[in-house]
Amino acid sequence: MGADNPATETPHSEPAEAVLAAHDTSPEGLSPEEARRRLAEHGENEVAEADERTPLSIFLAQFDSVLIWVLLAAAALSVWAGHAVDAVLIAVIVLANGVFGFVQDYRAEQSLEALRELTAPTATVRRGEEPVETDATELVPGDVLELGSGDVVPADARLVTETDLEVDEAALTGESVPVSKGPEPVPADAPVAEHGSMVYKGTNVTRGNAVAVVTATGMDTEVGAIARELAATDETRTPLQGELDQLGRRLGLGVVVLAALVIPLLLLRGTAPVEAGLTAVSLAVAAVPEGLPAVVTLTLALGVRVMADENALVRRLPAVEALGSVDVICTDKTGTLTEGQMAVSRVWVADAVHDLGGSRADGGTPDGAGTEGAADGSARTVPEGEADADRIDRLLRAGALCNDATLEDGDPTERALVAAADDRGIDVDALREENPRTDEVPFSSETKWMGTVHDDVGYVKGAPEVVLGKCSEVLTADGPEPLTDEVTERVRERVGTFADDALRVLAVAYAEDGDVEGELVFLGLVGMIDPPREEVAEALAATERAGIAVKMVTGDNVRTAAAVAGELGMGQKVMEGREVEEASDEELAEAVESVDVFARTSPEHKVRILRALQDNGHVVAMTGDGVNDAPALKNADIGVAMGVRGTDVAKQASDVVLLDDNYATIERAVERGRAIFDNVWKFVAYLLSANVAEVAIVFLASLFGYLVLPAVQLLWINLLTDGLPALALGADPQSGDVMERPPRDPDSGIIGGQMLGFIGGAGTVSVAVMLGLMFYALGGAAAITPYAMTMVFTGFVVIEFAKLYVIRWFRETPTLSNRWLALAVGSSALLQLAVLYTPLSTYFGTVPLGLADWGVLGAVVALALPGYVVVAAAIKRYLPADTAETDLPPQGRPDPDQ
């Protein structure tokens, strides 16, 4: 079993006998003693379990943020300065933020021990020439397996012999239908999806039986390779996480710079060291938006609950906001864009094609028309006459009788035939009861046809070329007629046309005398496809309007992928996995901008495509449901797994799970993500404009010798403004144009040009008005007075409430659309009154205000409000929004004018 032996390195390309020899085994299998020796050498046949996150690690992860560290540093400064109350308040805020985040993450983490569950619990293996049932974890390379219909393949294995074997590999390769397998070698460079001589761990046998020699177990299997890649992938951070960390670093640096400037300056002016230190602490508290992490977390949590109601389960909280930045969606085909199950699309009865529409009950095109083949091979539209209807019904009845499936169970192709008959109004159960099967010829991969006998009538279905070769007549509108060379050629042309449209084609025939081995009468052709979901085309159009490009990345073949893309209105520029593999990084980076469909892709190809897009500056959401999608899902900016069809592996690797497998849910999730970002933008702008104003007021007032807002008052202002009102912004309804804008530019950061403009402009208005109020209230006093402090303290709270509504207007939110905001402002106002008129005033150094004072504060609001509006209007007019500029073309939808 040398490392350079092709029979062990590429067993799919070597004869079965060579693979058996390379693994020092025979068709009779290993002896029990040799199996035990190899088990000790190779280890158990299981995929290594992903590192499990403990509740403690989930909780501690909530504090892995620079902004949180800055807050804790501010708390430590407060303790040093003797302001224990401030420190306790900051600690409570930080702890509450941690608890909120922990609850959400822990709920979403209820995992999904994915890859281990793919292991079949038992396997039938030949040991000592006798087939025995053993624990699948005890399989070793060289073991000889016996596989049958319904089995889960327990390890990667090379086929030795098989009978009618078909395997469902959708979870591994993305192939939409079960694939036929055989022991014949395939080229060494063939992609996994074309390894017809191999069966792979975790796939399902849907038909037939086989004997195979195990070539890889555990982490050496294809599934194991995926597990290794997942383990080596670092957790992707969302744009918001990175931006909050960047904000924390800037604030931390700003606090240090402020302290370094202010303390020496105050000491030079003769300020006492203790008072200079208290001023520095006040500046630190003013600079840090204590409530920001908690409000962000709660807003995202609120979005999570809403999205769950809309069938999108969020596994990582920051992923909610990151959806709003997505400008490319890479989507799987099978089960995501399509229904994930075969359906009869078209039938041919001499000489007309009739569109059954995948699941149309009327059995025709929308107007009941078909297309008729003329002598010259062209087609013309004809109404579905009575003769055609009878022949279509007969064709579908034959397909339902020559069939082992039901509507609920069986081979996907046969189930599609049963469903087509049922849609046509044929009672399949009654049909089978009235026409009991008296004999049959099972399908085999060698003959490629199946026959059943029902009393004196026989029916055959199978590969068109094979069935056509068994026929001497064809059923026409006038009854059976000789199958001439001309008609045979027309049938072959029609088979080619169906195949070009990515249809899987079966031919159906009958024998009046019941002899399915003799000469038959050709009934017609049945074309089947995994049809696109009805709602997907509109969802694709909506994402395109939102400036998001969609690219199909599938393991399916080129013809099928391109046909589905065309039917959905996507572009049809295709690149195969083999081309992806051969392309350099530079070539692939250029190709991904224009290619619409990537076909026959492996897990490694998907990750390369994803990284090429990311390296080009795109924020990418990857959707998928199979094991093969997991590495790309984990590497994507947003991994979106299917909840119904999706494997546990895919779900564990994802950020979002679609509970209904509906592509339209992705569009709603993006819409929700954008709306949540709008709300995050509003309260970040609100909080930071307040904090900048607080810092400037304290700093400028200290230059005049006034400590106007001590730390406890600043913290209270932050709690009132960062608390209930900011949280209520998280419940703001979305604006009507949220899906008409381009995606936001993640490189601009949450604090982009418009926000900086608002923070600077609104902060300047607040500082000017508050300093004017301070000097008015001081009345020429040499030192700060409790009255002046109270006026500035209360005045700042009041103008912040007014600024809330200007920010909402700036983001085009209807003024009276959020009753929670009105309630939050009212509650915060009552809390401020409590600080003024109850014994709490002792702790805050405030005095009661009279009616005249409230009149002055009303005048202050009347001055500040127009200033905020002018700032907001100027920014809207002169500063562009922070949206992504993308060179990606639209989805290739045809121009209706062309």
Side-chain angles (χ1 to χ4, degrees), residues 48-59:
E49 186 175 0
D51 291 336
E52 186 177 349
R53 295 178 70 194
T54 64
L56 178 61
S57 67
I58 295 172
F59 181 70

Side-chain angles (χ1 to χ4, degrees), residues 337-340 529-537 563-565 567-568:
L337 297 176
T338 65
E339 296 283 358
I529 196 169
D530 179 9
R533 290 176 177 269
E534 289 183 9
E535 64 280 355
V536 165
V564 171
E567 192 165 345
L568 289 170

Side-chain angles (χ1 to χ4, degrees), residues 560-602:
T560 301
V564 171
E567 192 165 345
L568 289 170
M570 298 175 64
Q572 293 177 273
K573 185 174 181 181
V574 182
M575 188 175 190
E576 284 196 76
R578 195 171 294 166
E579 298 173 86
V580 173
E581 192 168 315
E582 293 170 354
S584 66
D585 289 345
E586 294 75 18
E587 290 169 338
L588 186 59
E590 183 178 349
V592 293
E593 296 294 321
S594 58
V595 172
D596 309 291
V597 178
F598 295 89
R600 276 286 185 250
T601 54
S602 69

Side-chain angles (χ1 to χ4, degrees), residues 369-451:
T371 58
E372 182 178 82
D376 61 359
S378 62
R380 63 186 179 86
T381 302
V382 296
E384 183 183 310
E386 186 177 340
D388 276 355
D390 287 344
R391 284 185 295 152
I392 292 170
D393 287 346
R394 186 164 185 175
L395 175 69
L396 295 178
R397 282 198 300 270
L401 288 171
C402 188
N403 195 313
D404 295 322
T406 65
L407 280 172
E408 296 79 24
D409 191 36
D411 177 82
T413 300
E414 294 198 328
R415 285 176 61 189
L417 290 171
V418 173
D422 184 72
D423 287 346
R424 188 77 177 177
I426 298 168
D427 187 335
V428 175
D429 290 336
L431 177 69
R432 290 174 173 176
E433 192 173 330
E434 293 165 5
N435 299 272
R437 186 180 299 184
T438 55
D439 198 5
E440 67 177 287
V441 177
F443 176 88
S444 77
S445 54
E446 285 80 21
T447 63
K448 301 188 184 307
W449 64 273
M450 170 188 180

